[in-house]
Amino acid sequence: MNILTTLVFIVAANANANTNANANANANTNANTNANANANANQCQLKAHQIKAQYQLTFAQNQDHHADTHIHPPRTNQSQLTLWRKGNTVAHQYQQTRITEAWYLLANKQIKPTRYFEQHQRGIEYQPGENVHGKTESDWSYRQQLVSNQLLQQLTLASESGQGCQHQQSFKQTTPSGTLTLVWLPQLQLISQFTWQTSQSTETWQLLDVTHDSQQVDAFFDQLNQYQMTDYADIGDDHSDPFLTSMVTLGFVEHGASGFYDDKGNALSGSLSGHQH
């Protein structure tokens, strides 16, 4: 083999070695990228299953124009809602009424509802499949997320931004009834902002704060577990319990509070659940 042939052979061998090295480096980079993506996804999933999310709810009636040309200012009602999650248990805590509604997802996918009354340190348990507030619980996503997967699939995606757990999706839908806009955090399965606007009113849900502190979450559910519980089926059998008598009289057993109240503290019917999301 002459010198020229030897040089060509060496150059070719080096080129092949460099190509293989680059290919291996790219493969390692892709593997690392996929591993990081999977790690981030797993981290977000863990965060989504242990959460405390605080919301400000605002319900505003639009300005009322009468024939007498007087303009009545819009009436605005505000309340707070805290969404709690711990594994297969989710709770909606309404600060104004001091009532918490909770649901537990069983292994057979049935949903067990419970209602807690903070002021009385009492709770009412319902059996899975039992009629509560005029219907049977069947949509876990609606209780866990405040918006159902079915609705999300019907909305039009307008834009996306952010990465990882802060990935945001903006949706919008216009119907004859009104306009719905939603800013959604898919990795955390959380509403960031929700607005339902009609010709008569505007309803807004705004996420204020999110924490994944296990001590806070555990302490909240541990406190609920200390309440004295009564099975819903046994309520009519005990007429000597002042708490149960007052709950039935006020209608709290059959009808859930919306979280919205007028200036006298009376519950209003408007709420996100009214849209069947």
Side-chain angles (χ1 to χ4, degrees), residues 228-264:
Q228 178 184 342
M229 303 304 298
T230 302
D231 192 289
Y232 175 67
D234 298 332
I235 290 178
D237 300 333
D238 189 352
H239 301 285
S240 62
D241 191 324
F243 164 74
L244 297 179
T245 302
S246 65
M247 290 300 101
V248 172
T249 302
L250 293 173
F252 280 124
V253 173
E254 288 290 351
H255 304 287
S258 68
F260 291 104
Y261 303 88
D262 62 19
D263 55 359
K264 296 181 177 61

PDB file of all heavy atoms in Angstrom, residues 228-264:
ATOM      1  N   GLN A 228     -67.936  14.049  63.140  1.00  0.00           N
ATOM      2  CA  GLN A 228     -68.933  13.014  63.405  1.00  0.00           C
ATOM      3  C   GLN A 228     -69.769  12.817  62.143  1.00  0.00           C
ATOM      4  O   GLN A 228     -70.345  13.768  61.614  1.00  0.00           O
ATOM      5  CB  GLN A 228     -69.833  13.426  64.569  1.00  0.00           C
ATOM      6  CG  GLN A 228     -70.938  12.423  64.891  1.00  0.00           C
ATOM      7  CD  GLN A 228     -71.858  12.917  65.991  1.00  0.00           C
ATOM      8  OE1 GLN A 228     -71.506  13.830  66.738  1.00  0.00           O
ATOM      9  NE2 GLN A 228     -73.037  12.329  66.083  1.00  0.00           N
ATOM     10  N   MET A 229     -69.848  11.575  61.662  1.00  0.00           N
ATOM     11  CA  MET A 229     -70.500  11.299  60.388  1.00  0.00           C
ATOM     12  C   MET A 229     -71.876  10.659  60.576  1.00  0.00           C
ATOM     13  O   MET A 229     -72.110   9.914  61.535  1.00  0.00           O
ATOM     14  CB  MET A 229     -69.627  10.375  59.539  1.00  0.00           C
ATOM     15  CG  MET A 229     -68.221  10.902  59.273  1.00  0.00           C
ATOM     16  SD  MET A 229     -68.192  12.536  58.499  1.00  0.00           S
ATOM     17  CE  MET A 229     -69.029  12.164  56.940  1.00  0.00           C
ATOM     18  N   THR A 230     -72.771  10.958  59.634  1.00  0.00           N
ATOM     19  CA  THR A 230     -74.104  10.358  59.601  1.00  0.00           C
ATOM     20  C   THR A 230     -74.397   9.915  58.178  1.00  0.00           C
ATOM     21  O   THR A 230     -74.156  10.667  57.235  1.00  0.00           O
ATOM     22  CB  THR A 230     -75.191  11.362  60.045  1.00  0.00           C
ATOM     23  OG1 THR A 230     -74.897  11.819  61.364  1.00  0.00           O
ATOM     24  CG2 THR A 230     -76.566  10.721  60.026  1.00  0.00           C
ATOM     25  N   ASP A 231     -74.898   8.694  58.035  1.00  0.00           N
ATOM     26  CA  ASP A 231     -75.278   8.211  56.717  1.00  0.00           C
ATOM     27  C   ASP A 231     -76.571   8.888  56.289  1.00  0.00           C
ATOM     28  O   ASP A 231     -77.511   9.026  57.081  1.00  0.00           O
ATOM     29  CB  ASP A 231     -75.460   6.689  56.734  1.00  0.00           C
ATOM     30  CG  ASP A 231     -75.563   6.116  55.332  1.00  0.00           C
ATOM     31  OD1 ASP A 231     -76.611   6.341  54.664  1.00  0.00           O
ATOM     32  OD2 ASP A 231     -74.615   5.458  54.877  1.00  0.00           O
ATOM     33  N   TYR A 232     -76.629   9.307  55.049  1.00  0.00           N
ATOM     34  CA  TYR A 232     -77.801  10.034  54.553  1.00  0.00           C
ATOM     35  C   TYR A 232     -79.087   9.228  54.744  1.00  0.00           C
ATOM     36  O   TYR A 232     -80.135   9.788  55.071  1.00  0.00           O
ATOM     37  CB  TYR A 232     -77.602  10.361  53.072  1.00  0.00           C
ATOM     38  CG  TYR A 232     -78.802  11.009  52.422  1.00  0.00           C
ATOM     39  CD1 TYR A 232     -79.216  12.283  52.794  1.00  0.00           C
ATOM     40  CD2 TYR A 232     -79.526  10.343  51.438  1.00  0.00           C
ATOM     41  CE1 TYR A 232     -80.319  12.887  52.201  1.00  0.00           C
ATOM     42  CE2 TYR A 232     -80.630  10.925  50.841  1.00  0.00           C
ATOM     43  CZ  TYR A 232     -81.017  12.196  51.221  1.00  0.00           C
ATOM     44  OH  TYR A 232     -82.115  12.779  50.638  1.00  0.00           O
ATOM     45  N   ALA A 233     -78.998   7.918  54.583  1.00  0.00           N
ATOM     46  CA  ALA A 233     -80.182   7.062  54.699  1.00  0.00           C
ATOM     47  C   ALA A 233     -80.739   7.039  56.116  1.00  0.00           C
ATOM     48  O   ALA A 233     -81.915   6.709  56.328  1.00  0.00           O
ATOM     49  CB  ALA A 233     -79.838   5.646  54.244  1.00  0.00           C
ATOM     50  N   ASP A 234     -79.917   7.407  57.107  1.00  0.00           N
ATOM     51  CA  ASP A 234     -80.351   7.354  58.511  1.00  0.00           C
ATOM     52  C   ASP A 234     -80.888   8.683  59.025  1.00  0.00           C
ATOM     53  O   ASP A 234     -81.319   8.758  60.187  1.00  0.00           O
ATOM     54  CB  ASP A 234     -79.174   6.920  59.399  1.00  0.00           C
ATOM     55  CG  ASP A 234     -78.678   5.526  59.048  1.00  0.00           C
ATOM     56  OD1 ASP A 234     -79.489   4.718  58.557  1.00  0.00           O
ATOM     57  OD2 ASP A 234     -77.466   5.261  59.254  1.00  0.00           O
ATOM     58  N   ILE A 235     -80.874   9.704  58.193  1.00  0.00           N
ATOM     59  CA  ILE A 235     -81.267  11.033  58.672  1.00  0.00           C
ATOM     60  C   ILE A 235     -82.710  11.065  59.147  1.00  0.00           C
ATOM     61  O   ILE A 235     -83.031  11.607  60.200  1.00  0.00           O
ATOM     62  CB  ILE A 235     -81.044  12.089  57.570  1.00  0.00           C
ATOM     63  CG1 ILE A 235     -79.541  12.287  57.355  1.00  0.00           C
ATOM     64  CG2 ILE A 235     -81.699  13.412  57.943  1.00  0.00           C
ATOM     65  CD1 ILE A 235     -79.207  13.266  56.258  1.00  0.00           C
ATOM     66  N   GLY A 236     -83.596  10.449  58.399  1.00  0.00           N
ATOM     67  CA  GLY A 236     -85.014  10.486  58.761  1.00  0.00           C
ATOM     68  C   GLY A 236     -85.355   9.683  59.998  1.00  0.00           C
ATOM     69  O   GLY A 236     -86.457   9.818  60.554  1.00  0.00           O
ATOM     70  N   ASP A 237     -84.433   8.844  60.448  1.00  0.00           N
ATOM     71  CA  ASP A 237     -84.707   7.987  61.615  1.00  0.00           C
ATOM     72  C   ASP A 237     -84.424   8.676  62.939  1.00  0.00           C
ATOM     73  O   ASP A 237     -84.810   8.178  63.998  1.00  0.00           O
ATOM     74  CB  ASP A 237     -83.860   6.707  61.535  1.00  0.00           C
ATOM     75  CG  ASP A 237     -84.169   5.898  60.289  1.00  0.00           C
ATOM     76  OD1 ASP A 237     -85.305   6.004  59.789  1.00  0.00           O
ATOM     77  OD2 ASP A 237     -83.269   5.175  59.811  1.00  0.00           O
ATOM     78  N   ASP A 238     -83.730   9.788  62.892  1.00  0.00           N
ATOM     79  CA  ASP A 238     -83.336  10.467  64.127  1.00  0.00           C
ATOM     80  C   ASP A 238     -83.886  11.882  64.143  1.00  0.00           C
ATOM     81  O   ASP A 238     -83.357  12.786  63.511  1.00  0.00           O
ATOM     82  CB  ASP A 238     -81.805  10.488  64.238  1.00  0.00           C
ATOM     83  CG  ASP A 238     -81.335  10.984  65.597  1.00  0.00           C
ATOM     84  OD1 ASP A 238     -82.183  11.454  66.378  1.00  0.00           O
ATOM     85  OD2 ASP A 238     -80.125  10.906  65.866  1.00  0.00           O
ATOM     86  N   HIS A 239     -84.988  12.065  64.884  1.00  0.00           N
ATOM     87  CA  HIS A 239     -85.616  13.393  64.965  1.00  0.00           C
ATOM     88  C   HIS A 239     -85.137  14.160  66.193  1.00  0.00           C
ATOM     89  O   HIS A 239     -85.588  15.285  66.436  1.00  0.00           O
ATOM     90  CB  HIS A 239     -87.143  13.241  65.016  1.00  0.00           C
ATOM     91  CG  HIS A 239     -87.711  12.533  63.824  1.00  0.00           C
ATOM     92  ND1 HIS A 239     -87.838  13.121  62.584  1.00  0.00           N
ATOM     93  CD2 HIS A 239     -88.166  11.256  63.683  1.00  0.00           C
ATOM     94  CE1 HIS A 239     -88.358  12.254  61.727  1.00  0.00           C
ATOM     95  NE2 HIS A 239     -88.563  11.108  62.364  1.00  0.00           N
ATOM     96  N   SER A 240     -84.222  13.575  66.943  1.00  0.00           N
ATOM     97  CA  SER A 240     -83.762  14.217  68.172  1.00  0.00           C
ATOM     98  C   SER A 240     -82.454  14.971  67.988  1.00  0.00           C
ATOM     99  O   SER A 240     -81.997  15.644  68.904  1.00  0.00           O
ATOM    100  CB  SER A 240     -83.567  13.153  69.269  1.00  0.00           C
ATOM    101  OG  SER A 240     -82.571  12.213  68.870  1.00  0.00           O
ATOM    102  N   ASP A 241     -81.858  14.863  66.790  1.00  0.00           N
ATOM    103  CA  ASP A 241     -80.574  15.508  66.526  1.00  0.00           C
ATOM    104  C   ASP A 241     -80.817  16.901  65.956  1.00  0.00           C
ATOM    105  O   ASP A 241     -81.287  17.046  64.818  1.00  0.00           O
ATOM    106  CB  ASP A 241     -79.771  14.658  65.535  1.00  0.00           C
ATOM    107  CG  ASP A 241     -78.324  15.126  65.414  1.00  0.00           C
ATOM    108  OD1 ASP A 241     -78.089  16.357  65.478  1.00  0.00           O
ATOM    109  OD2 ASP A 241     -77.430  14.281  65.234  1.00  0.00           O
ATOM    110  N   PRO A 242     -80.522  17.950  66.726  1.00  0.00           N
ATOM    111  CA  PRO A 242     -80.773  19.328  66.256  1.00  0.00           C
ATOM    112  C   PRO A 242     -80.042  19.646  64.960  1.00  0.00           C
ATOM    113  O   PRO A 242     -80.571  20.378  64.110  1.00  0.00           O
ATOM    114  CB  PRO A 242     -80.249  20.197  67.404  1.00  0.00           C
ATOM    115  CG  PRO A 242     -80.253  19.295  68.590  1.00  0.00           C
ATOM    116  CD  PRO A 242     -79.952  17.925  68.074  1.00  0.00           C
ATOM    117  N   PHE A 243     -78.831  19.115  64.802  1.00  0.00           N
ATOM    118  CA  PHE A 243     -78.060  19.393  63.592  1.00  0.00           C
ATOM    119  C   PHE A 243     -78.775  18.848  62.362  1.00  0.00           C
ATOM    120  O   PHE A 243     -78.972  19.570  61.378  1.00  0.00           O
ATOM    121  CB  PHE A 243     -76.674  18.764  63.696  1.00  0.00           C
ATOM    122  CG  PHE A 243     -75.953  18.655  62.372  1.00  0.00           C
ATOM    123  CD1 PHE A 243     -75.412  19.780  61.760  1.00  0.00           C
ATOM    124  CD2 PHE A 243     -75.841  17.425  61.725  1.00  0.00           C
ATOM    125  CE1 PHE A 243     -74.774  19.692  60.528  1.00  0.00           C
ATOM    126  CE2 PHE A 243     -75.192  17.325  60.505  1.00  0.00           C
ATOM    127  CZ  PHE A 243     -74.662  18.453  59.905  1.00  0.00           C
ATOM    128  N   LEU A 244     -79.198  17.596  62.408  1.00  0.00           N
ATOM    129  CA  LEU A 244     -79.853  16.990  61.250  1.00  0.00           C
ATOM    130  C   LEU A 244     -81.185  17.670  60.953  1.00  0.00           C
ATOM    131  O   LEU A 244     -81.541  17.884  59.790  1.00  0.00           O
ATOM    132  CB  LEU A 244     -80.066  15.494  61.496  1.00  0.00           C
ATOM    133  CG  LEU A 244     -78.789  14.660  61.661  1.00  0.00           C
ATOM    134  CD1 LEU A 244     -79.143  13.205  61.922  1.00  0.00           C
ATOM    135  CD2 LEU A 244     -77.917  14.780  60.420  1.00  0.00           C
ATOM    136  N   THR A 245     -81.899  18.038  62.001  1.00  0.00           N
ATOM    137  CA  THR A 245     -83.183  18.727  61.817  1.00  0.00           C
ATOM    138  C   THR A 245     -82.984  20.070  61.127  1.00  0.00           C
ATOM    139  O   THR A 245     -83.715  20.431  60.193  1.00  0.00           O
ATOM    140  CB  THR A 245     -83.872  18.947  63.175  1.00  0.00           C
ATOM    141  OG1 THR A 245     -84.072  17.688  63.812  1.00  0.00           O
ATOM    142  CG2 THR A 245     -85.216  19.637  62.990  1.00  0.00           C
ATOM    143  N   SER A 246     -81.958  20.806  61.563  1.00  0.00           N
ATOM    144  CA  SER A 246     -81.706  22.128  60.971  1.00  0.00           C
ATOM    145  C   SER A 246     -81.215  21.996  59.534  1.00  0.00           C
ATOM    146  O   SER A 246     -81.568  22.808  58.677  1.00  0.00           O
ATOM    147  CB  SER A 246     -80.688  22.898  61.811  1.00  0.00           C
ATOM    148  OG  SER A 246     -79.425  22.256  61.787  1.00  0.00           O
ATOM    149  N   MET A 247     -80.418  20.981  59.243  1.00  0.00           N
ATOM    150  CA  MET A 247     -79.904  20.793  57.891  1.00  0.00           C
ATOM    151  C   MET A 247     -81.032  20.485  56.913  1.00  0.00           C
ATOM    152  O   MET A 247     -81.085  21.014  55.801  1.00  0.00           O
ATOM    153  CB  MET A 247     -78.870  19.667  57.850  1.00  0.00           C
ATOM    154  CG  MET A 247     -77.555  19.983  58.525  1.00  0.00           C
ATOM    155  SD  MET A 247     -76.680  21.414  57.799  1.00  0.00           S
ATOM    156  CE  MET A 247     -77.102  22.695  58.995  1.00  0.00           C
ATOM    157  N   VAL A 248     -81.959  19.636  57.324  1.00  0.00           N
ATOM    158  CA  VAL A 248     -83.091  19.292  56.463  1.00  0.00           C
ATOM    159  C   VAL A 248     -83.984  20.508  56.262  1.00  0.00           C
ATOM    160  O   VAL A 248     -84.444  20.797  55.158  1.00  0.00           O
ATOM    161  CB  VAL A 248     -83.896  18.124  57.072  1.00  0.00           C
ATOM    162  CG1 VAL A 248     -85.183  17.896  56.274  1.00  0.00           C
ATOM    163  CG2 VAL A 248     -83.059  16.854  57.091  1.00  0.00           C
ATOM    164  N   THR A 249     -84.221  21.260  57.344  1.00  0.00           N
ATOM    165  CA  THR A 249     -85.069  22.455  57.261  1.00  0.00           C
ATOM    166  C   THR A 249     -84.482  23.494  56.316  1.00  0.00           C
ATOM    167  O   THR A 249     -85.188  24.105  55.511  1.00  0.00           O
ATOM    168  CB  THR A 249     -85.244  23.085  58.664  1.00  0.00           C
ATOM    169  OG1 THR A 249     -85.806  22.117  59.547  1.00  0.00           O
ATOM    170  CG2 THR A 249     -86.132  24.311  58.583  1.00  0.00           C
ATOM    171  N   LEU A 250     -83.150  23.688  56.381  1.00  0.00           N
ATOM    172  CA  LEU A 250     -82.492  24.681  55.529  1.00  0.00           C
ATOM    173  C   LEU A 250     -82.271  24.191  54.102  1.00  0.00           C
ATOM    174  O   LEU A 250     -81.941  24.975  53.221  1.00  0.00           O
ATOM    175  CB  LEU A 250     -81.140  25.075  56.144  1.00  0.00           C
ATOM    176  CG  LEU A 250     -81.206  25.838  57.470  1.00  0.00           C
ATOM    177  CD1 LEU A 250     -79.809  26.005  58.047  1.00  0.00           C
ATOM    178  CD2 LEU A 250     -81.869  27.194  57.278  1.00  0.00           C
ATOM    179  N   GLY A 251     -82.441  22.901  53.895  1.00  0.00           N
ATOM    180  CA  GLY A 251     -82.271  22.379  52.549  1.00  0.00           C
ATOM    181  C   GLY A 251     -80.844  22.035  52.191  1.00  0.00           C
ATOM    182  O   GLY A 251     -80.545  21.743  51.032  1.00  0.00           O
ATOM    183  N   PHE A 252     -79.936  22.043  53.162  1.00  0.00           N
ATOM    184  CA  PHE A 252     -78.532  21.786  52.854  1.00  0.00           C
ATOM    185  C   PHE A 252     -78.278  20.318  52.501  1.00  0.00           C
ATOM    186  O   PHE A 252     -77.298  19.998  51.863  1.00  0.00           O
ATOM    187  CB  PHE A 252     -77.645  22.180  54.040  1.00  0.00           C
ATOM    188  CG  PHE A 252     -77.378  23.653  54.110  1.00  0.00           C
ATOM    189  CD1 PHE A 252     -77.697  24.368  55.245  1.00  0.00           C
ATOM    190  CD2 PHE A 252     -76.822  24.325  53.033  1.00  0.00           C
ATOM    191  CE1 PHE A 252     -77.452  25.734  55.314  1.00  0.00           C
ATOM    192  CE2 PHE A 252     -76.567  25.684  53.097  1.00  0.00           C
ATOM    193  CZ  PHE A 252     -76.889  26.388  54.234  1.00  0.00           C
ATOM    194  N   VAL A 253     -79.142  19.444  52.942  1.00  0.00           N
ATOM    195  CA  VAL A 253     -78.926  18.031  52.686  1.00  0.00           C
ATOM    196  C   VAL A 253     -79.144  17.701  51.214  1.00  0.00           C
ATOM    197  O   VAL A 253     -78.397  16.953  50.606  1.00  0.00           O
ATOM    198  CB  VAL A 253     -79.854  17.180  53.570  1.00  0.00           C
ATOM    199  CG1 VAL A 253     -79.760  15.706  53.180  1.00  0.00           C
ATOM    200  CG2 VAL A 253     -79.475  17.339  55.034  1.00  0.00           C
ATOM    201  N   GLU A 254     -80.172  18.305  50.625  1.00  0.00           N
ATOM    202  CA  GLU A 254     -80.512  17.977  49.242  1.00  0.00           C
ATOM    203  C   GLU A 254     -79.923  18.944  48.232  1.00  0.00           C
ATOM    204  O   GLU A 254     -79.728  18.595  47.078  1.00  0.00           O
ATOM    205  CB  GLU A 254     -82.036  17.951  49.070  1.00  0.00           C
ATOM    206  CG  GLU A 254     -82.697  16.749  49.720  1.00  0.00           C
ATOM    207  CD  GLU A 254     -82.391  15.454  49.003  1.00  0.00           C
ATOM    208  OE1 GLU A 254     -81.801  15.496  47.908  1.00  0.00           O
ATOM    209  OE2 GLU A 254     -82.723  14.387  49.541  1.00  0.00           O
ATOM    210  N   HIS A 255     -79.672  20.180  48.625  1.00  0.00           N
ATOM    211  CA  HIS A 255     -79.260  21.193  47.652  1.00  0.00           C
ATOM    212  C   HIS A 255     -77.914  21.793  48.039  1.00  0.00           C
ATOM    213  O   HIS A 255     -77.759  22.325  49.127  1.00  0.00           O
ATOM    214  CB  HIS A 255     -80.310  22.305  47.557  1.00  0.00           C
ATOM    215  CG  HIS A 255     -81.675  21.777  47.212  1.00  0.00           C
ATOM    216  ND1 HIS A 255     -81.990  21.318  45.960  1.00  0.00           N
ATOM    217  CD2 HIS A 255     -82.777  21.606  47.978  1.00  0.00           C
ATOM    218  CE1 HIS A 255     -83.252  20.911  45.955  1.00  0.00           C
ATOM    219  NE2 HIS A 255     -83.748  21.070  47.162  1.00  0.00           N
ATOM    220  N   GLY A 256     -76.976  21.710  47.141  1.00  0.00           N
ATOM    221  CA  GLY A 256     -75.639  22.246  47.414  1.00  0.00           C
ATOM    222  C   GLY A 256     -75.588  23.752  47.248  1.00  0.00           C
ATOM    223  O   GLY A 256     -76.297  24.334  46.439  1.00  0.00           O
ATOM    224  N   ALA A 257     -74.775  24.398  48.038  1.00  0.00           N
ATOM    225  CA  ALA A 257     -74.591  25.843  47.904  1.00  0.00           C
ATOM    226  C   ALA A 257     -73.681  26.143  46.730  1.00  0.00           C
ATOM    227  O   ALA A 257     -72.738  25.421  46.462  1.00  0.00           O
ATOM    228  CB  ALA A 257     -73.996  26.409  49.193  1.00  0.00           C
ATOM    229  N   SER A 258     -73.978  27.219  46.027  1.00  0.00           N
ATOM    230  CA  SER A 258     -73.220  27.538  44.818  1.00  0.00           C
ATOM    231  C   SER A 258     -71.892  28.215  45.122  1.00  0.00           C
ATOM    232  O   SER A 258     -70.989  28.217  44.304  1.00  0.00           O
ATOM    233  CB  SER A 258     -74.038  28.467  43.928  1.00  0.00           C
ATOM    234  OG  SER A 258     -74.186  29.733  44.545  1.00  0.00           O
ATOM    235  N   GLY A 259     -71.802  28.830  46.301  1.00  0.00           N
ATOM    236  CA  GLY A 259     -70.600  29.600  46.598  1.00  0.00           C
ATOM    237  C   GLY A 259     -70.802  31.087  46.360  1.00  0.00           C
ATOM    238  O   GLY A 259     -69.960  31.895  46.714  1.00  0.00           O
ATOM    239  N   PHE A 260     -71.946  31.468  45.751  1.00  0.00           N
ATOM    240  CA  PHE A 260     -72.245  32.877  45.493  1.00  0.00           C
ATOM    241  C   PHE A 260     -73.340  33.349  46.435  1.00  0.00           C
ATOM    242  O   PHE A 260     -74.315  32.644  46.682  1.00  0.00           O
ATOM    243  CB  PHE A 260     -72.707  33.081  44.048  1.00  0.00           C
ATOM    244  CG  PHE A 260     -71.612  32.867  43.042  1.00  0.00           C
ATOM    245  CD1 PHE A 260     -71.559  31.714  42.286  1.00  0.00           C
ATOM    246  CD2 PHE A 260     -70.617  33.812  42.856  1.00  0.00           C
ATOM    247  CE1 PHE A 260     -70.557  31.511  41.366  1.00  0.00           C
ATOM    248  CE2 PHE A 260     -69.602  33.618  41.940  1.00  0.00           C
ATOM    249  CZ  PHE A 260     -69.578  32.466  41.193  1.00  0.00           C
ATOM    250  N   TYR A 261     -73.207  34.598  46.947  1.00  0.00           N
ATOM    251  CA  TYR A 261     -74.148  35.111  47.921  1.00  0.00           C
ATOM    252  C   TYR A 261     -74.467  36.566  47.653  1.00  0.00           C
ATOM    253  O   TYR A 261     -73.635  37.307  47.135  1.00  0.00           O
ATOM    254  CB  TYR A 261     -73.573  34.951  49.349  1.00  0.00           C
ATOM    255  CG  TYR A 261     -73.242  33.520  49.636  1.00  0.00           C
ATOM    256  CD1 TYR A 261     -71.992  33.014  49.303  1.00  0.00           C
ATOM    257  CD2 TYR A 261     -74.198  32.651  50.133  1.00  0.00           C
ATOM    258  CE1 TYR A 261     -71.699  31.687  49.485  1.00  0.00           C
ATOM    259  CE2 TYR A 261     -73.920  31.316  50.315  1.00  0.00           C
ATOM    260  CZ  TYR A 261     -72.674  30.835  49.993  1.00  0.00           C
ATOM    261  OH  TYR A 261     -72.390  29.517  50.143  1.00  0.00           O
ATOM    262  N   ASP A 262     -75.706  36.969  48.024  1.00  0.00           N
ATOM    263  CA  ASP A 262     -76.062  38.371  47.865  1.00  0.00           C
ATOM    264  C   ASP A 262     -75.597  39.151  49.089  1.00  0.00           C
ATOM    265  O   ASP A 262     -74.931  38.614  49.977  1.00  0.00           O
ATOM    266  CB  ASP A 262     -77.575  38.523  47.638  1.00  0.00           C
ATOM    267  CG  ASP A 262     -78.394  38.009  48.819  1.00  0.00           C
ATOM    268  OD1 ASP A 262     -77.835  37.869  49.934  1.00  0.00           O
ATOM    269  OD2 ASP A 262     -79.593  37.739  48.626  1.00  0.00           O
ATOM    270  N   ASP A 263     -75.959  40.446  49.125  1.00  0.00           N
ATOM    271  CA  ASP A 263     -75.445  41.291  50.206  1.00  0.00           C
ATOM    272  C   ASP A 263     -76.022  40.918  51.573  1.00  0.00           C
ATOM    273  O   ASP A 263     -75.544  41.384  52.607  1.00  0.00           O
ATOM    274  CB  ASP A 263     -75.729  42.775  49.905  1.00  0.00           C
ATOM    275  CG  ASP A 263     -77.206  43.040  49.640  1.00  0.00           C
ATOM    276  OD1 ASP A 263     -77.997  42.071  49.678  1.00  0.00           O
ATOM    277  OD2 ASP A 263     -77.560  44.192  49.394  1.00  0.00           O
ATOM    278  N   LYS A 264     -77.052  40.063  51.614  1.00  0.00           N
ATOM    279  CA  LYS A 264     -77.632  39.614  52.878  1.00  0.00           C
ATOM    280  C   LYS A 264     -77.162  38.204  53.264  1.00  0.00           C
ATOM    281  O   LYS A 264     -77.628  37.630  54.241  1.00  0.00           O
ATOM    282  CB  LYS A 264     -79.158  39.642  52.783  1.00  0.00           C
ATOM    283  CG  LYS A 264     -79.738  41.040  52.588  1.00  0.00           C
ATOM    284  CD  LYS A 264     -81.237  40.995  52.523  1.00  0.00           C
ATOM    285  CE  LYS A 264     -81.822  42.392  52.404  1.00  0.00           C
ATOM    286  NZ  LYS A 264     -81.370  43.078  51.177  1.00  0.00           N
TER     287      LYS A 264
END
